[in-house]
Amino acid sequence: MKHEWKSGLVAGIPIFLGYLSVSFGIGILASNAGLSVAEAVILSAANLTSAGQVAGIGIIAAGGSLLEIIATQFVINLRYALMALSLSQKAAPSLTTPKRLMLSYGITDEIFALCSAREKDVTAGYMGGIIIISAAGWILGTFLGAAAGSILPEAVTDAMGIMLYGMFVAIFLPAAKRDRRVCVVVLAAALLSCLFHYVIRSVSGGFSVIICALAAAFLGALLFPIPEEDPENDQKEEV
Amino acid sequence: MSRAILYIITMAVVTYLIRMLPFTLMRKKIKSRFFRSLMYYIPYTVLAAMTIPAIFRSTGSLPAALAGTAAAFLTGWLDLPLIAVALAAAGAAFAAGFIV
């Protein structure tokens, strides 16, 4: 069992480094949006999700409603349900319900990718090790970003506000390049989003993301239903 | 309790439930092809809708944001790692902020 923890901790080192830099951007974003360092750290420790946290920070800063934040998190993070479902089948028989309740906290895109790439069964120690080192990077990076946000010159923090969006581009653009179906739904989502932003201005940001994302994904599911094999292999590059 | 903390805890509860319920309760595969297709496309459409047009207002000025966006799309198109794309975007926005 000890060995499993160790291999999980080692396997998670690349995620630790990646999370450290990405969550630095989250910390800056939170700080620019008026959250305190403590609030930013609690946000990252409690949520462990990039896109959801960015959307959440935006809604908090814009004074959005609780319903808006619930609906936004639900749609943005719904993909975790699919990953959880898939991991659930790969989990070792030793994963009892209490262990599952704890490990659920750490189902992110990268952790999911590592766990599903493992040839052996996923044990609580292995997954737990990955989650601990990954979450440490996520929380530490947020702390550094939020603290630096008030120390660094405005020119630097301003420029760093684009980092998270750059990361999102790095996820959807290569996927759209490789897969024409993804290209179509991504373009549809972007166009709809611009429409809501510049023309129909009465819908708030969080709801606009939900409507655009769902409408574009519906379009994709209608026009290009994916083949019968397991979609999990195509989900691994998400954050 | 501050308003931000209330919102943060609400987010955390929703996100945890999304992860926990399928992981502990459901052990079968999703059968519906439409639903699986929807789940396949949602990550990409969410990210695209969140990025565009918000990325244009993500830095101090529009020209800086446009420079950062161009850098992100270029490096992203070349399949560079996430961190490289993020840093290229920030670097370009930072540089453009001084020039413009």
Side-chain angles (χ1 to χ4, degrees), chain A residues 47-48 63-64 77 85 88-89 100-101 105 107 174 177 179 193 197 213 224 226 228 230 234 238-239, chain B residues 3 7 12 15-16 19 23 26 29-30 33 36-37 40-41 44-45 49 52 57-58 73 77 79 82:
Chain A
N47 286 277
L48 201 70
N77 293 333
L85 209 60
S88 170
Q89 290 152 41
R100 283 173 184 259
L101 287 176
Y105 160 78
I107 300 172
K177 191 177 87 171
D179 187 337
S193 179
H197 195 81
F224 325 110
I226 54 163
E228 282 303 320
D230 204 327
D234 298 305
E238 294 305 315
V239 175
Chain B
R3 182 177 154 275
Y7 276 51
T15 307
Y16 178 71
R19 289 164 165 158
F23 197 52
M26 298 171 68
K29 287 208 172 189
I30 301 173
R33 190 179 179 198
R36 284 194 301 109
S37 303
Y40 173 75
Y41 291 119
Y44 302 115
T45 59
I52 298 165
R57 288 180 300 121
S58 62
F73 272 78
W77 187 261
D79 284 319
L82 303 190

Side-chain angles (χ1 to χ4, degrees), chain B residues 75-94:
Chain B
T75 49
W77 187 261
L78 297 173
D79 284 319
L80 293 185
L82 303 190
I83 296 130
V85 176
L87 286 175
F94 183 69

Side-chain angles (χ1 to χ4, degrees), chain A residues 21 39 43 46-48 51-52 60 63-66 69-70 73-74 77-78 80-82 84-85 88-89 100-101 104-105 107 155 158-159 161-163 165-166 168-171 173-175 177 179 181 189 193-194 197-198 213 216-218 220-221 224-226 228-231 234-235 238-239, chain B residues 2-8 10-12 14-16 18-20 22-24 26-30 33-34 36-60 65 68-69 72-73 76-80 82-83 85-87 89-90 93-94 98:
Chain A
S21 45
E39 285 167 346
L43 172 72
N47 286 277
L48 201 70
I60 291 170
S65 66
L66 264 183
I69 215 157
I70 290 170
Q73 297 305 308
F74 181 78
N77 293 333
L78 197 58
Y80 294 139
L82 192 69
L85 209 60
S88 170
Q89 290 152 41
R100 283 173 184 259
L101 287 176
S104 298
Y105 160 78
I107 300 172
D158 260 2
I162 204 172
M163 275 181 70
Y165 294 107
F168 294 163
V169 170
I171 295 167
L173 190 66
K177 191 177 87 171
D179 187 337
R181 304 167 303 176
S193 179
C194 287
H197 195 81
Y198 296 115
F218 253 94
F224 325 110
I226 54 163
E228 282 303 320
E229 76 258 338
D230 204 327
D234 298 305
Q235 295 261 350
E238 294 305 315
V239 175
Chain B
S2 78
R3 182 177 154 275
I5 293 290
L6 172 72
Y7 276 51
I8 288 166
T10 307
M11 287 168 64
V14 174
T15 307
Y16 178 71
I18 289 170
R19 289 164 165 158
M20 183 275 278
F23 197 52
T24 47
M26 298 171 68
R27 321 237 164 153
K28 284 186 195 161
K29 287 208 172 189
I30 301 173
R33 190 179 179 198
F34 182 82
R36 284 194 301 109
S37 303
L38 200 65
M39 298 295 267
Y40 173 75
Y41 291 119
I42 277 179
Y44 302 115
T45 59
V46 164
L47 293 177
M50 278 184 60
T51 304
I52 298 165
I55 192 171
F56 304 128
R57 288 180 300 121
S58 62
T59 72
T69 306
F73 272 78
W77 187 261
L78 297 173
D79 284 319
L80 293 185
L82 303 190
I83 296 130
V85 176
L87 286 175
F94 183 69
F98 282 106

Side-chain angles (χ1 to χ4, degrees), chain A residues 121-141:
Chain A
D121 275 355
V122 171
T123 60
Y126 183 72
M127 192 171 167
I130 298 177
I131 291 172
I132 283 170
I133 193 162
S134 305
W138 190 247
I139 294 164
L140 179 64

Side-chain angles (χ1 to χ4, degrees), chain A residues 69-113:
Chain A
I69 215 157
I70 290 170
T72 312
Q73 297 305 308
F74 181 78
V75 171
I76 292 180
N77 293 333
L78 197 58
R79 66 183 190 283
Y80 294 139
L82 192 69
M83 296 174 195
L85 209 60
S86 161
L87 268 187
S88 170
Q89 290 152 41
K90 202 176 160 53
S94 61
L95 246 70
T96 53
T97 301
K99 284 178 185 165
R100 283 173 184 259
L101 287 176
M102 282 189 276
L103 294 171
S104 298
Y105 160 78
I107 300 172
T108 71
D109 309 73
E110 291 77 13
I111 293 168
F112 165 75

Side-chain angles (χ1 to χ4, degrees), chain A:
Chain A
M1 200 57 212
K2 221 170 184 168
H3 178 73
E4 287 288 298
W5 277 99
K6 205 179 152 194
S7 60
L9 286 170
V10 172
I13 289 173
I15 303 186
F16 172 87
L17 293 174
Y19 277 11
L20 194 66
S21 45
V22 169
S23 63
F24 193 86
I26 296 256
I28 294 214
L29 208 64
S31 169
N32 287 350
L35 266 66
S36 70
V37 175
E39 285 167 346
V41 167
I42 294 169
L43 172 72
S44 279
N47 286 277
L48 201 70
T49 171
S50 65
Q53 285 183 213
V54 173
I57 289 167
I59 292 167
I60 291 170
S65 66
L66 264 183
L67 176 69
E68 187 175 357
I69 215 157
I70 290 170
T72 312
Q73 297 305 308
F74 181 78
V75 171
I76 292 180
N77 293 333
L78 197 58
R79 66 183 190 283
Y80 294 139
L82 192 69
M83 296 174 195
L85 209 60
S86 161
L87 268 187
S88 170
Q89 290 152 41
K90 202 176 160 53
S94 61
L95 246 70
T96 53
T97 301
K99 284 178 185 165
R100 283 173 184 259
L101 287 176
M102 282 189 276
L103 294 171
S104 298
Y105 160 78
I107 300 172
T108 71
D109 309 73
E110 291 77 13
I111 293 168
F112 165 75
L114 265 191
C115 289
S116 45
R118 195 183 205 211
E119 288 188 13
K120 286 189 274 180
D121 275 355
V122 171
T123 60
Y126 183 72
M127 192 171 167
I130 298 177
I131 291 172
I132 283 170
I133 193 162
S134 305
W138 190 247
I139 294 164
L140 179 64
T142 307
F143 170 75
L144 294 174
S150 47
I151 299 166
L152 290 173
E154 205 180 319
V156 176
T157 54
D158 260 2
M160 291 184 83
I162 204 172
M163 275 181 70
L164 264 295
Y165 294 107
M167 204 188 70
F168 294 163
V169 170
I171 295 167
F172 71 73
L173 190 66
K177 191 177 87 171
R178 276 194 305 273
D179 187 337
R180 201 180 56 88
R181 304 167 303 176
V182 174
C183 185
V184 172
V185 298
V186 158
L187 279 175
L191 280 174
L192 275 174
S193 179
C194 287
L195 187 73
F196 273 98
H197 195 81
Y198 296 115
V199 185
I200 312 167
R201 311 196 54 154
S202 53
V203 180
S204 64
F207 282 123
S208 158
V209 167
I210 298 169
I211 296 167
C212 298
L214 278 180
F218 253 94
L219 184 80
L222 285 175
L223 292 181
F224 325 110
I226 54 163
E228 282 303 320
E229 76 258 338
D230 204 327
E232 76 188 61
N233 295 327
D234 298 305
Q235 295 261 350
K236 286 179 185 171
E237 289 177 37
E238 294 305 315
V239 175

